Amino acid sequence: MSEIPSSQSTDATLSETDRTNADQPPRRRGLPLIGSTLSIARDPLGYLESASEYGDVVAYEAFGTEFALVFDPDAVESVLVSRSDQFRKGEFETNFGDLIAPGGIAFTEGEQWRRQRRLLQSSFTPDRIRSFAGKMATEAAALVDGWDDGETIVLQDALSTYTLRVLSRTLFDLKREAPRSSAPASGDLPRALEDDRAETVRRAATALDNYASPGRLALGSIVPSWVPDRAEREYEAAMADLEALVADLVAQRRSVDDGGDDLLSLLARAEYPDGSRLSPAEVRDQLVTFLFAGHETTATTLTFACWLLAGDSAVQTALERELEAVCGDREPTFTDCDALVYTEAVVREAMRLYPPVVGLYREPRRGTTLAGYRIPAGTTLQLSVYGIQRDGRWWSAPETFRPERWLTGGDDDSGRTLEPAGDRPEYAYFPFGGGPRHCLGMRFAMTELQLALATIVHHVEFDRVTETLEPSLGVTLDPGPLEVRVRLR
Ligand code: HEM
């Protein structure tokens, strides 16, 4: 297990661990009635990190729910893959889904989920990703173009604007949409209207992040509120606007089938086997789910990757060399991705140290055992991506940023040693989950991340302005307002 700083101990100590009953997982005790809720609301990431000291499966209670944190890669494989039919997402996650998008694919179960997955995965085939990649690269070039030499930027702000623009262009394709009149079917939407629509999507994404923050939800679970707070009011207003926009766009796409390949066109045209179509509310739920799943996750990964690069000139130089060898003077494109192996290694390593999705939630359909421990029905399993990906049993120098560990053999010119994956369990690394419910946008995300990073490094170098990284747990792992200075190359 990786070393846990003592300052991160919260409401319990090791001596309080209940090891009396061999088939119960060790328990981390909190306060009477509210369990560990306050500790988690105060410092969710610290709580999760320090819990790994108790064992590979650790029970605790919070938000009125019984949790079991899992730090064992083989148990993760069992839950996500080989015994996946014995587990469902469970109440903790569906309660969250009910707040933002009850019918969204990330929250549904059984036949409804299968039908949605079949329908939606046709938007994420390699051909579709290739057709989206041009927009990803164009937006990345526009992002870098807006930076001046010597300018200080807040990485997360800049990069979440970037990922939102990519999502808007590929999922909603606001630019392509023609007005209802007889105007041409593509590309001629008046700029102001396009900006207006993009602003509606941006406001919805921001309101979603503020509304669904774990700190807010945690406090809500112990201090019930009958009066909506500001975040809730803003969320409801932003969602009403988004719903109106989606209804309008769906109607337009149904009236003119111009063969558009964005996700909204697919959803607008899709038919169930009985010939019925998705209602605007169903379409809205999917789009909100994609905003939720695909926006901050990629922005956060890019933020961590850029900040890590800014502090490591050897990695920055190795990346630049690779880009020069593969692309020369031209901009990176989709066809370069296979050859940009070091760029991919940087992305993977950033996601190992700072996985945007810190833990996955599952609930056993009935009482079961896991890693030799009894897990009663109603327990919420929390599979710790963050803990496992930093565990010294599977990773050498687990806290060190070392992209080379992802390269297979050969000399990477940096003089650093390569790490054989060897006997590391497969689920020692699972930033995109695994099994039937693995991330639907994984290929989309990896292409976007590789292209954005390559384009950025092609044009600029970074120096750190913020020296210390103190991530916290937001909807995704939150890097905070990290600043870097831009040097144009
Ligand atoms: C670095 C970026 C990303 C990371 C780390 C990430 C991570 C994940 C993880 C861990 C899951 C599984 C959750 C679970 O099993 O409980 C997931 C599911 C999902 N992701 Fe991603 N994701 C990323 C980007 C994206 C993007 C860009 C999209 C779409 C454009 C997307 C769409 C989805 C969807 C729809 C699901 C639900 C799949 C299902 O339940 O069938 N993700 N993601």
Side-chain angles (χ1 to χ4, degrees):
M1 283 278 133
S2 55
E3 201 180 317
I4 306 295
S6 56
S7 62
Q8 280 165 342
S9 299
T10 46
D11 60 349
T13 63
L14 272 179
S15 59
E16 289 169 319
T17 306
D18 175 6
R19 297 181 194 277
T20 51
N21 190 344
D23 64 354
Q24 305 261 347
R27 168 166 295 278
R28 185 167 184 183
R29 296 197 181 284
L31 298 170
L33 294 180
I34 61 168
S36 299
T37 305
L38 277 180
S39 308
I40 293 176
R42 243 188 338 251
D43 179 12
L45 195 58
Y47 187 89
L48 295 183
E49 269 192 288
S50 53
S52 64
E53 279 196 349
Y54 292 71
D56 271 351
V57 181
V58 182
Y60 70 95
E61 207 238 302
F63 318 125
T65 302
E66 177 68 14
F67 287 92
L69 254 166
V70 178
F71 296 100
D72 172 12
D74 291 337
V76 169
E77 190 281 337
S78 183
V79 172
L80 294 182
V81 190
S82 47
R83 289 166 57 203
S84 62
D85 55 336
Q86 297 171 22
F87 299 88
R88 58 174 173 234
K89 285 247 164 162
E91 216 174 289
F92 187 73
E93 184 125 335
T94 43
N95 283 348
F96 178 67
D98 284 348
L99 288 175
I100 63 162
I105 181 176
F107 308 106
T108 52
E109 297 278 354
E111 197 40 46
Q112 188 188 10
W113 167 76
R114 252 185 298 280
R115 211 165 53 156
Q116 292 175 340
R117 181 100 190 179
R118 266 198 302 272
L119 178 70
L120 292 169
Q121 66 196 8
S122 59
S123 265
F124 293 91
T125 58
D127 279 351
R128 285 286 165 93
I129 305 296
R130 191 177 313 121
S131 77
F132 292 153
K135 292 171 181 157
M136 295 170 179
T138 306
E139 289 299 333
L143 168 78
V144 175
D145 220 32
W147 292 338
D148 294 326
D149 196 30
E151 182 182 352
T152 296
I153 55 165
V154 179
L155 284 170
Q156 181 73 2
D157 292 353
L159 296 167
S160 73
T161 302
Y162 164 70
T163 58
L164 190 56
R165 288 188 72 88
V166 169
L167 278 187
S168 300
R169 291 266 151 99
T170 53
L171 302 188
F172 298 81
D173 201 358
L174 301 175
K175 196 173 182 171
R176 186 185 60 77
E177 183 57 43
R180 236 176 287 218
S181 65
S182 55
S186 66
D188 276 355
L189 187 66
R191 186 89 216 160
L193 183 54
E194 189 201 336
D195 288 349
D196 223 34
R197 291 171 165 184
E199 177 57 20
T200 302
V201 176
R202 193 197 59 74
R203 238 172 358 101
T206 309
L208 179 60
D209 290 345
N210 294 338
Y211 179 57
S213 80
R216 228 190 121 262
L217 295 179
L219 284 177
S221 78
I222 49 174
V223 187
S225 160
W226 290 273
V227 184
D229 64 7
R230 189 164 163 215
E232 193 169 345
R233 285 195 306 273
E234 284 178 0
Y235 174 74
E236 274 165 10
M239 282 302 142
D241 289 348
L242 182 71
E243 208 151 316
L245 172 65
V246 167
D248 199 28
L249 295 177
V250 167
Q252 286 176 345
R253 278 159 163 83
R254 282 179 178 165
S255 68
V256 188
D257 180 357
D258 61 2
D261 68 351
D262 61 311
L263 187 74
L264 185 57
S265 296
L266 176 95
L267 291 170
R269 291 197 300 261
E271 284 186 1
Y272 289 123
D274 65 2
S276 64
R277 287 177 147 178
L278 277 72
S279 68
E282 284 177 281
V283 175
R284 171 233 175 250
D285 274 2
Q286 300 312 339
L287 291 174
V288 169
T289 303
F290 279 86
L291 276 183
F292 166 73
H295 167 216
E296 286 299 327
T297 44
T298 34
T300 298
T301 304
L302 274 176
T303 297
F304 284 119
C306 290
W307 190 84
L308 288 162
L309 280 186
D312 195 324
S313 56
V315 173
Q316 206 152 214
T317 306
L319 257 185
E320 287 165 14
R321 279 204 200 139
E322 175 175 89
L323 271 163
E324 272 159 30
V326 174
C327 306
D329 285 340
R330 63 174 175 77
E331 297 291 332
T333 65
F334 179 74
T335 46
D336 299 318
C337 283
D338 280 352
L340 294 173
V341 285
Y342 193 78
T343 314
E344 184 181 341
V346 170
V347 170
R348 283 172 150 264
E349 180 68 349
M351 264 191 300
R352 181 187 69 79
L353 279 171
Y354 301 106
V357 180
V358 168
L360 307 187
Y361 296 94
R362 291 293 188 275
E363 198 178 294
R365 291 181 190 278
R366 54 184 64 87
T368 187
T369 55
L370 194 63
Y373 293 114
R374 191 151 52 85
I375 307 291
T379 306
T380 297
L381 294 170
Q382 204 175 351
L383 314 176
S384 180
V385 184
Y386 187 90
I388 291 175
Q389 293 186 174
R390 285 170 172 256
D391 188 329
R393 289 176 294 179
W394 324 121
W395 304 97
S396 62
E399 314 282 331
T400 309
F401 175 57
R402 227 173 60 191
E404 289 75 14
R405 67 173 94 235
W406 295 102
L407 303 177
T408 47
D411 184 6
D412 69 312
D413 276 358
S414 71
R416 303 177 188 211
T417 44
L418 304 181
E419 174 170 296
D423 44 11
R424 186 186 304 144
E426 189 181 350
Y427 279 80
Y429 184 74
F430 60 117
F432 291 105
R437 297 202 76 146
H438 75 270
C439 176
L440 186 59
M442 178 172 78
R443 231 185 267 132
F444 181 107
M446 284 306 289
T447 305
E448 181 181 1
L449 291 165
Q450 235 183 324
L451 278 176
L453 197 62
T455 306
I456 289 171
V457 173
H458 193 65
H459 291 277
V460 304
E461 288 183 353
F462 292 127
D463 294 315
R464 281 185 187 165
V465 174
T466 312
E467 289 294 340
T468 319
L469 174 57
E470 284 169 3
S472 57
L473 197 52
V475 173
T476 53
L477 188 60
D478 181 355
L482 294 176
E483 290 186 331
V484 291
R485 190 163 303 108
V486 172
R487 258 186 296 131
L488 298 184
R489 292 183 68 211

